[in-house]
Amino acid sequence: MRSGKIASLFGLLTFAALSAAQNADIDSLFEDPREDIEQAREASPQADHRSSFEKADKVVISGNFTAIGGGAFGWTEFPDPNRPELYWDRTPLASSEAAFVLNARPDPTFRFYAKYLATMKPKDGFTWTSLTLSELFCDYIYRDFLYARFGKQTIGWGQGRLYTPGDLMDTSEEGTSVKLSLPTVLSGVSFVALAKKTYFRDIKTPSYTEVVYGAIADATLAGFRLTAGARYQKDAKTADSSFGLGFNGLASIKRTILGTDLFADAVLKENGGAPVWSLLGGFFREWTNTKLYGEYEWDDGTAADSVHRAGLAFTRKKLFGSGFDLGFKWLHSFSDGSGGLAVGVTASPQKHLSLSFAIPVVYGANGRFDILDDDFILTQRLSFVALVKLNVPY
Amino acid sequence: MQKTALALLVCLLFASPLPALDGASVLKASDAKTSFKDGDYSAEYEIVKRDPGGATSKNVSAIFRRDRTDQFLILVLEPLVDKGKGYLKIGETLWLYDPVGRAFSFTNAKERFERTSARIEDFKSPSFSSDYRVVSESKAKLGKFDCVVLDLEARKDTLAFPKVKLWISDDMLVRKREDYSLSGQLMRTVAIPTYQQVGDRWAPASITIVDHLKSAKIGGKVEYERTSIAVTRPSRKKLPDAVYTKEYLERVAK
């Protein structure tokens, strides 16, 4: 006990001594410092730091190439300890993607952006797709008051990371849309009109009633971020299955408490019949090397397909000071007791190259076989996955 | 006789030195000298972090501040892979925008800025006089500067450091600060040896931060993480309101 106290005292004194040494070091900066600069030479009322972001003299061409290869080794049903060879399975995993991006900002009021993608997946017979348009839009800024974006674009609403019932514009990247934003009204107000080929009965004579209209407004009040959004489509040849025709509404609230984001989304879907409610609650916390977030979703749906589920994700970079990053994800459906969880580590031994090892477990009748990634739909209940990834941005 | 006595009294009154400013007034004067309440302030910050052992990393960011409404925007210029990443503070709300995931998340001003020893709240308008109360004051010499040394305690628990010690030179500029935990452990030392005049206000020209929480023993000697910041191209150019919005962050992202 006494030796412990002495050790603590010694530790404290050592820390104090080290701090004092560092202070002496930093105090030396004041011995002969550069004189204060009266009227900084570089100071200029014309120095516009926005131009570094708003204007580029050249078209910027960028992209990245990704290739992933590896395998999953495990059991298609949970193994029988007496007969471990039963259900044993090995599955090669591979995919590759090449992205090509054009970004032009000829003027602070205008921007053109296009992203093309080509992919190769074993399920497509190891054949590369042709270069397809992933995004293409232009921005026009009117007097820093109105931002307009037109084209094939991704619009994200709602706050979920694991579950996204509040993303009422989820299908925006499948069509062409116009988004008008008034950034200085409240904490931002936007209007959207979305058109898709499948919406129109006769593509030669499209009707304005077949277009999806949306509006969303953000406001910050007493530390709460409040959001209200709505989507409406009167008529369509084929409406988006997630939303149907009629009104879909979103109300969100978000607040930071003790450094943690707490949020909730409430979604009402008319879907041409009885209104259906979805509720999402969750939290997100980020430290320097760690992220932790969890979500819970309830959807009254119908008796057959009501949703009641929860998810938790955790990532830790430089685990215990090592070169490994740890990841953990668990998705569980309370409706049918199914789900999936995965724990894995990733290391980058060489520039552009990473190695990942994961143990995914999938349980229940409708278990989450996509627990690793949407691109890798597992066939095994319990497996060991090893992947090598080459990712080169350019 | 009466006239003589009165004249003597007047002489004595005017001969007395002006009463020295108390700690709270010094703090207020210092805040006022480095705040830009009458418009916008923007500058480029080159931030070099040196890990114990010598590995360095560099970040270049543009800072936009509107102190009157307690707003600021930090946009990362370098490294290129993070270009367009941004922090936006509007009142008590601080947003972090990730251009890769195109997602906003609330973040905390207490957090480190891009894994350096700088905290996000270091970029806001100085507000020592409203954030902290003066516990004690003394005088000390800091190199060539004669300073008032103020021991401060936080008025609210949302601040990164509950206790702070400030060295404020005669010209009312904060030259050095030590940040302490509630238990009194020294967490960080910040030195601002040089300022630059921007209009009728002053902004740091160079900042050095020693992080006492991040250390390693190198060759038998303890080294601490050290972050050096050079502030260049300070500007008072008026900025549109839209700069301090989430939409602007989305617009300028790569």
Side-chain angles (χ1 to χ4, degrees):
Chain A
M1 182 72 183
R2 195 174 164 192
S3 64
K5 278 184 180 172
I6 291 170
S8 301
L9 187 63
F10 180 74
L12 202 63
L13 288 172
T14 308
F15 181 81
L18 289 171
S19 294
Q22 282 294 319
N23 268 338
D25 178 29
I26 206 161
D27 284 356
S28 67
L29 295 172
F30 298 97
E31 294 299 335
D32 187 20
R34 191 160 62 107
E35 289 293 323
D36 289 336
I37 308 158
E38 288 188 16
Q39 236 16 295
R41 200 176 297 164
E42 310 99 308
S44 158
Q46 297 311 313
D48 186 355
H49 298 282
R50 291 190 300 154
S51 59
S52 309
F53 302 93
E54 294 178 4
K55 189 175 182 304
D57 294 331
K58 294 175 184 169
V59 176
V60 177
I61 298 171
S62 63
N64 75 298
F65 177 82
T66 307
I68 304 174
F73 312 88
W75 292 268
T76 53
E77 292 297 335
F78 286 112
D80 180 344
N82 300 318
R83 294 183 63 196
E85 73 283 4
L86 203 63
Y87 311 125
W88 176 252
D89 180 56
R90 288 165 294 179
T91 308
L93 301 173
S95 79
S96 195
E97 181 183 282
F100 179 67
V101 175
L102 286 173
N103 197 355
R105 295 178 189 269
D107 185 272
T109 62
F110 184 81
R111 178 194 185 192
F112 173 79
Y113 178 94
K115 182 178 182 182
Y116 297 87
L117 274 181
T119 57
M120 185 283 294
K121 289 173 188 165
K123 67 178 182 184
D124 299 327
F126 293 97
T127 307
W128 282 86
T129 62
S130 54
L131 215 52
T132 55
L133 196 61
S134 171
E135 281 184 279
L136 188 151
F137 58 78
C138 67
D139 287 342
Y140 182 72
I141 289 79
Y142 179 73
R143 296 188 174 194
D144 282 305
F145 172 73
L146 176 69
Y147 294 176
R149 177 168 287 185
F150 167 76
K152 184 176 161 66
Q153 57 180 307
T154 305
I155 301 171
W157 289 8
Q159 302 178 82
R161 290 171 174 80
L162 299 169
Y163 307 119
T164 55
D167 193 357
L168 304 185
M169 286 293 153
D170 186 28
T171 54
S172 60
E173 61 199 39
E174 297 166 13
T176 296
S177 54
V178 183
K179 185 170 104 169
L180 301 175
S181 300
L182 302 164
T184 54
V185 176
L186 298 173
S187 295
V189 174
S190 295
F191 302 94
V192 180
L194 168 66
K196 253 171 66 177
K197 190 179 174 184
T198 51
Y199 293 164
F200 301 106
R201 294 180 199 286
D202 182 354
I203 199 68
K204 290 176 187 165
T205 55
S207 165
Y208 69 93
T209 60
E210 295 167 309
V211 172
V212 169
Y213 299 95
I216 191 163
D218 268 342
T220 305
L221 195 66
F224 288 91
R225 179 206 171 192
L226 306 170
T227 304
R231 167 195 164 115
Y232 179 76
Q233 187 174 28
K234 186 175 182 184
D235 190 18
K237 181 184 171 191
T238 311
D240 294 325
S241 58
S242 318
F243 307 105
L245 292 175
F247 172 84
N248 290 259
L250 164 71
S252 300
I253 186 165
K254 193 172 189 175
R255 161 134 211 169
T256 304
I257 295 176
L258 298 174
T260 305
D261 289 1
L262 300 174
F263 56 84
D265 280 352
V267 180
L268 177 66
K269 295 180 181 179
E270 191 181 34
N271 203 14
V276 175
W277 281 96
S278 294
L279 297 172
L280 176 85
F283 70 93
F284 176 84
R285 176 75 196 251
E286 184 170 13
W287 294 267
T288 305
N289 287 323
T290 307
K291 281 183 190 174
L292 174 68
Y293 51 101
E295 287 169 17
Y296 170 84
E297 186 194 3
W298 173 82
D299 180 339
D300 74 350
T302 62
D305 64 357
S306 63
V307 172
H308 183 198
R309 56 189 180 175
L312 186 70
F314 170 83
T315 61
R316 170 79 188 175
K317 287 184 178 172
K318 297 180 180 173
L319 187 65
F320 303 122
S322 71
F324 285 93
D325 298 340
L326 173 76
F328 169 81
K329 186 161 82 169
W330 175 43
L331 299 172
H332 178 75
S333 169
F334 296 101
S335 308
D336 59 9
S338 69
L341 62 92
V343 60
V345 290
T346 297
S348 181
Q350 192 74 26
K351 194 175 179 185
H352 305 312
L353 202 65
S354 64
L355 302 172
S356 300
F357 305 98
I359 298 176
V361 180
V362 179
Y363 56 90
N366 298 306
R368 296 296 302 251
F369 286 92
D370 60 349
I371 186 74
L372 275 189
D373 191 303
D374 285 345
D375 283 342
F376 294 130
I377 308 298
L378 298 171
T379 55
Q380 298 147 353
R381 291 276 176 188
L382 172 64
S383 57
F384 172 76
V385 174
L387 294 171
V388 181
K389 182 178 180 181
L390 174 72
N391 182 33
V392 186
Y394 58 87
Chain B
M1 182 65 186
Q2 267 185 338
K3 275 184 183 172
T4 312
L6 190 64
L8 198 63
L9 186 65
V10 169
C11 284
L12 276 172
L13 274 174
F14 281 92
S16 305
L18 286 170
L21 287 175
D22 63 278
S25 305
V26 170
L27 217 48
K28 208 172 254 182
S30 173
D31 281 350
K33 195 158 183 180
T34 49
S35 296
F36 298 89
K37 299 279 186 195
D38 55 346
D40 297 293
Y41 164 74
S42 53
E44 202 167 286
Y45 280 50
E46 185 182 289
I47 303 167
V48 178
K49 185 186 81 168
R50 186 182 181 279
D51 289 329
T56 59
S57 57
K58 190 173 99 170
N59 173 291
V60 180
S61 293
I63 313 293
F64 305 89
R65 251 169 61 185
R66 182 173 285 177
D67 295 349
R68 189 180 67 252
T69 47
D70 195 18
Q71 293 171 303
F72 72 71
L73 173 71
I74 309 171
L75 279 172
V76 175
L77 275 159
E78 290 180 36
L80 277 178
V81 69
D82 287 331
K83 188 173 179 181
K85 188 174 179 182
Y87 298 82
L88 171 67
K89 183 172 187 291
I90 309 169
E92 294 297 310
T93 310
L94 181 64
W95 298 98
L96 166 63
Y97 182 67
D98 169 19
V100 178
R102 294 185 190 174
F104 283 94
S105 57
F106 269 133
T107 189
N108 195 325
K110 294 180 186 179
E111 291 292 326
R112 291 168 186 274
F113 174 71
E114 297 294 295
R115 299 182 189 172
T116 67
S117 308
R119 298 296 204 275
I120 299 167
E121 70 177 19
D122 290 339
F123 298 95
K124 74 180 179 73
S125 165
S127 53
F128 288 110
S129 55
S130 56
D131 290 344
Y132 292 90
R133 74 172 65 85
V134 179
V135 178
S136 68
E137 56 185 277
S138 57
K139 294 205 168 193
K141 190 97 174 156
L142 179 65
K144 70 168 198 173
F145 298 105
D146 291 313
C147 293
V148 175
V149 183
L150 301 176
D151 286 296
L152 310 177
E153 263 181 17
R155 292 179 198 270
K156 46 193 175 185
D157 58 8
T158 52
L159 300 168
F161 304 105
K163 292 179 182 175
V164 169
K165 190 169 191 170
L166 289 184
W167 280 253
I168 300 177
S169 51
D170 287 344
D171 49 11
M172 297 296 151
L173 295 171
V174 174
R175 298 292 173 173
K176 180 182 166 186
R177 66 180 274 188
E178 288 179 351
D179 298 318
Y180 293 87
S181 68
L182 204 56
S183 63
Q185 184 188 347
L186 178 60
M187 299 170 80
R188 209 175 66 142
T189 304
V190 182
I192 313 173
T194 311
Y195 277 81
Q196 55 196 325
Q197 194 177 9
V198 190
D200 57 350
R201 299 287 194 277
W202 291 80
S206 64
I207 305 168
T208 300
I209 305 172
V210 173
D211 194 328
H212 298 271
L213 297 180
K214 292 202 165 182
S215 65
K217 210 163 189 176
I218 311 291
K221 191 184 164 195
V222 176
E223 284 187 20
Y224 292 89
E225 181 184 291
R226 198 178 179 104
T227 299
S228 304
I229 303 174
V231 183
T232 56
R233 298 177 65 215
S235 170
R236 298 300 313 275
K237 187 177 172 69
K238 187 178 182 333
L239 300 169
D241 296 346
V243 165
Y244 305 99
T245 63
K246 286 162 57 192
E247 281 75 9
Y248 184 77
L249 264 173
E250 283 183 303
R251 176 190 148 197
V252 298
K254 63 185 174 184

